[in-house]
């Protein structure tokens, strides 16, 4: 799962300004897309560009009907509320660590984030996340 920046025309009154790592500041929308490993779309959601990536709870809840074991996401989705939601629907969330929320790996206190870090540092976790 990841989001993609979608720029809009300057005349689009509903578009908002947001920041993308690829585009920098832009006016438009974001497409959040969940696909299977063979790139079959499972769920998608459009948000305005000013909405942070981790604010996609409704998209997560649409995944409940699928038999998903692990969901890979980037560090923008390293959120305690998302870890809790995924735990409720029995999906293992694997994200890169967002150090903007912690000074170092040793300062991480939340159980979900600690388990995620330990998994990423394991041999199998490294192999799976690289894909």
């Amino acid at each position: 799962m990841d989001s993609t920046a979608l720029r809009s025309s300057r005349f689009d009154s509903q578009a908002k300004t947001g920041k993308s790592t690829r585009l920098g500041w832009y006016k438009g929308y974001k497409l959040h897309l969940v696909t299977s490993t063979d790139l079959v779309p499972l769920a998608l959601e459009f948000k305005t560009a000013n909405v942070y990536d981790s604010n996609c709870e409704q998209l997560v809840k649409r995944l409940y009907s699928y038999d998903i074991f692990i969901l890979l996401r980037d560090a923008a989705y390293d959120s305690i509320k998302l870890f809790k939601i995924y735990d409720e629907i029995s999906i293992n969330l694997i994200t890169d660590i967002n150090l903007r929320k912690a000074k170092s790996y040793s300062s991480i206190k939340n159980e979900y984030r600690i388990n995620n870090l330990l998994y990423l540092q394991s041999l199998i976790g490294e192999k799976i996340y690289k894909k």
Side-chain angles (χ1 to χ4, degrees):
M1 175 174 185
D2 204 0
S3 68
T4 299
L6 303 170
R7 289 188 269 190
S8 67
S9 86
R10 62 183 158 193
F11 304 109
D12 186 345
S13 62
Q14 294 178 333
K16 302 289 182 198
T17 301
K19 191 170 184 180
S20 163
T21 53
R22 188 172 44 92
L23 297 175
W25 289 98
Y26 73 100
K27 181 179 177 185
Y29 303 89
K30 287 182 184 179
L31 167 64
H32 294 271
L33 180 64
V34 180
T35 66
S36 65
T37 54
D38 50 351
L39 302 179
V40 174
L42 301 177
L44 63 95
E45 183 175 67
F46 287 96
K47 297 268 189 177
T48 55
N50 64 326
V51 177
Y52 195 66
D53 287 354
S54 64
N55 293 332
C56 58
E57 296 90 358
Q58 295 305 316
L59 180 63
V60 172
K61 291 177 181 175
R62 286 190 213 132
L63 299 175
Y64 184 75
S65 61
Y66 294 100
D67 186 23
I68 298 173
F69 180 68
I70 290 179
L71 190 65
L72 303 176
R73 300 173 109 182
D74 65 19
Y77 298 94
D78 182 13
S79 163
I80 295 168
K81 72 178 176 183
L82 287 179
F83 278 113
K84 288 179 181 178
I85 292 171
Y86 281 112
D87 191 39
E88 289 172 7
I89 61 175
S90 300
I91 295 176
N92 297 297
L93 173 61
I94 307 298
T95 71
D96 202 0
I97 305 301
N98 186 340
L99 282 179
R100 289 174 284 189
K101 298 177 184 177
K103 294 179 182 173
S104 68
Y105 292 142
S106 61
S107 67
I108 295 173
K109 303 292 183 215
N110 180 271
E111 180 182 346
Y112 292 114
R113 295 185 74 214
I114 290 170
N115 290 337
N116 181 56
L117 175 62
L118 293 173
Y119 185 78
L120 285 174
Q121 292 175 340
S122 70
L123 291 175
I124 193 164
E126 283 181 14
K127 287 182 181 181
I128 288 175
Y129 193 74
K130 283 181 184 177
K131 292 187 180 227

